[in-house]
């Protein structure tokens, strides 16, 4: 008996709008419904193809020669968008990524670890100094921590650091249609532009910092001078909204699941797994963009050459084809098969080691010092075209006796 490949089919047509306010208010539910229409779905309103299921997203990201990053849905040059990395294919992507990884791993990371751990201890101790405390886990914990530790390592001035979050909000909201919502978001981010540009120039980089090292790599001929600046701008754009939102989301998940928090407290070696489960459950990035350089068949479905593509990795975190009971949050879930919340393949998040370090050092300290985490009100999810996270998570933290 011979088996033949079934003939590729046209993608199911979806007439909804992934960028509507309804979708942004509940992206997990919305993207989950789109995922169940098929591995590839044609979004009629925008003439884009969405790749929705875990396996097919991974396979597409592996196929970077045909699934290119050099163009994407809603692309037009924009002051928020760095010109390197996410918008590049090899060979220029290869050298810029190598430079980014050189400064965001290895010896730098070891230096960051020591500092992050000391600051996490200092912050959690200070917060709990007077016993049980009510706070917003987004502003008073996550933002306070992230805007202290990583900008310190980058050598950024104290003043204006909050603009990094505004800038990130601009970066993540350019990825969507031109609407009043987008115009308001970009207007809110405008004051951050100058600050970010100013802090990426060679002259202001302090000796030994990430920016300084990037310019040293440029001097050594590893990447053009302007690309060194753009890599630094990418770090500013991608490195703050993501981590602040996902740390707050993790606290929400733990507050919502006291039995999981108890499990973690009893088994502190689960800290790393808890963080991975948290970003599977609440990914900070909703999707990425690509375009098809060739006629493709993805999951048995046709994508014509020239099509713009959305990689829907937020929905992939809840794909029941990949995870048992995907809507259940389990700090000891077996995640050896990984997740796509940092993307996959050559564009895997350049800052994933830094993000992981930030989250794990803070969580480790919470596990050491905190007895209970309880919600004291309704958390608020942020409205954003491309990013996902919580902007308000009211909790009561009770210290261990
Ligand atoms: C929880 C936190 C984070 C999440 C969930 C996240 C997620 C992602 C994802 C999904 C991508 C892939 C984009 C694509 O393929 O189109 C990406 C790329 C990237 N991320 Fe992150 N990120 C996080 C934190 C960070 C941090 C802290 C930095 C910088 C220190 C950073 C810098 C970058 C850069 C430069 C890229 C582009 C890489 C490339 O195109 O090769 N990210 N991130």
């Amino acid at each position: 008996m011979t088996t033949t490949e079934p003939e590729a089919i046209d993608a199911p047509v979806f007439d909804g709008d992934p960028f509507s306010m309804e979708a942004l208010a509940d992206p997990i539910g919305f993207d989950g419904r789109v995922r169940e229409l098929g591995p590839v779905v044609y979004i009629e309103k925008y003439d884009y193809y969405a790749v929705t299921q875990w396996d097919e997203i991974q396979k597409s990201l592996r196929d970077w020669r045909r699934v290119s990053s050099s163009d994407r849905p809603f692309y037009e040059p924009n002051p928020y968008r760095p010109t390197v990395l996410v918008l590049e294919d090899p060979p220029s992507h290869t050298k810029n990524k190598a430079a980014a990884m050189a400064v965001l791993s290895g010896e730098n990371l070891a230096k960051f670890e020591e500092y992050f751990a000391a600051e996490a201890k200092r912050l959690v101790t200070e917060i709990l100094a007077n016993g049980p405390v009510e706070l917003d886990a987004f502003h008073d914990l996550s933002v306070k921590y992230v805007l202290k530790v990583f900008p310190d390592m980058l050598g950024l001035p104290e003043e204006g650091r909050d603009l990094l979050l505004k800038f990130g909000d601009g970066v993540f909201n350019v990825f969507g249609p031109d609407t009043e919502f987008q115009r308001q978001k970009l207007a809110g981010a405008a004051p951050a532009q100058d600050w970010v540009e100013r802090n990426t120039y060679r002259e202001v980089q302090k000796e030994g910092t990430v920016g300084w090292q990037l310019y040293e790599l440029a001097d050594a001929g590893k990447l053009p001078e302007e690309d060194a600046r753009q890599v630094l701008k990418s770090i500013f754009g991608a490195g703050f909204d993501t981590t602040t939102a996902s740390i707050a989301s993790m606290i929400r998940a733990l507050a919502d699941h006291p039995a999981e928090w108890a499990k973690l407290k009893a088994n502190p070696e689960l800290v790393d797994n808890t963080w991975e489960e948290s970003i599977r459950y609440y990914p900070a990035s909703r999707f990425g963009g690509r375009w098809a350089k060739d006629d493709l068949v993805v999951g048995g479905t046709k994508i014509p050459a020239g099509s713009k593509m959305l990689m829907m990795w937020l929905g992939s975190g809840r794909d029941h084809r990949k995870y048992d009971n995907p809507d259940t949050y389990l700090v000891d879930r077996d995640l050896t098969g990984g997740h796509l919340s940092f993307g996959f393949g050559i564009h895997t998040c350049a800052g994933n080691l830094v993000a992981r370090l930030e989250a794990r050092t803070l969580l480790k300290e919470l596990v050491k010092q905190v007895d209970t985490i309880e919600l004291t009100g309704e958390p608020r999810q942020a409205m954003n075209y491309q990013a996902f996270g919580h902007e308000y998570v009211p909790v009561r933290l009770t210290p261990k006796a």
Side-chain angles (χ1 to χ4, degrees), residues 148-218:
K148 166 83 184 139
V149 294
F150 194 37
D152 276 359
M153 292 289 95
L154 293 171
L156 288 168
E158 295 274 345
E159 203 184 323
R161 287 182 181 188
D162 53 319
L163 293 171
L164 285 163
L165 296 183
K166 288 201 163 58
F167 185 68
D169 206 40
V171 168
F172 290 107
N173 279 300
V174 287
F175 202 151
D178 177 3
T179 58
E180 187 49 36
F181 171 80
Q182 186 185 59
R183 283 189 286 274
Q184 275 182 15
K185 286 284 192 180
L186 297 190
Q193 272 179 43
D194 266 4
W195 190 92
V196 165
E197 296 292 339
R198 226 177 318 124
N199 283 294
T200 55
Y201 285 108
R202 180 191 277 269
E203 305 72 67
V204 301
Q205 305 310 316
K206 298 201 178 105
E207 192 171 345
T209 57
V210 162
W212 172 277
Q213 291 169 351
L214 283 168
Y215 283 108
E216 273 188 336
L217 291 172

Side-chain angles (χ1 to χ4, degrees), residues 317-378:
R318 304 291 185 104
D319 189 345
H320 56 87
R321 297 160 197 81
K322 176 73 180 173
Y323 305 105
D324 291 338
N325 302 318
D327 294 323
T328 307
Y329 177 77
L330 292 173
V331 297
D332 54 355
R333 177 183 289 279
D334 178 1
L335 284 169
T336 42
H339 56 68
L340 301 176
S341 298
F342 283 121
F344 182 80
I346 63 169
H347 287 278
T348 297
C349 176
N352 79 84
L353 298 175
V354 176
R356 286 181 155 121
L357 196 60
E358 286 175 331
R360 289 166 178 175
T361 43
L362 185 61
L363 183 57
K364 236 179 233 166
E365 207 50 50
L366 292 171
V367 169
K368 268 191 207 153
Q369 299 201 39
V370 173
D371 186 31
T372 56
I373 307 178
E374 297 154 285
L375 282 180
T376 53
E378 196 48 43

Side-chain angles (χ1 to χ4, degrees), residues 85-86 93 97 150 238-239 242 246 290 313 341-343 347 349 351:
L85 294 174
V86 278
H93 175 265
K97 187 66 174 274
F150 194 37
T242 45
S246 53
R290 299 290 189 273
W313 39 62
S341 298
F342 283 121
H347 287 278
C349 176

Side-chain angles (χ1 to χ4, degrees), residues 61 69 72 84-88 93 96-97 100-101 104 112 146 150 154 172 175 230-231 233-247 275 279 282-290 311 313 339-356 358-359 386:
L61 294 173
S69 289
R72 55 186 49 225
V84 298
L85 294 174
V86 278
L87 281 161
E88 288 182 298
H93 175 265
N96 287 332
K97 187 66 174 274
M101 293 317 296
L104 296 174
F112 296 170
V146 171
F150 194 37
L154 293 171
F172 290 107
F175 202 151
Q230 292 290 331
V231 170
K233 189 169 162 184
S234 281
I235 294 171
F236 287 4
F240 295 95
D241 272 45
T242 45
T243 30
T244 48
S246 53
I247 289 174
W275 159 249
I279 60 166
Y282 283 144
S285 169
R286 190 176 168 207
F287 51 76
R290 299 290 189 273
M311 298 291 151
W313 39 62
H339 56 68
L340 301 176
S341 298
F342 283 121
F344 182 80
I346 63 169
H347 287 278
T348 297
C349 176
N352 79 84
L353 298 175
V354 176
R356 286 181 155 121
E358 286 175 331
Q386 192 192 2

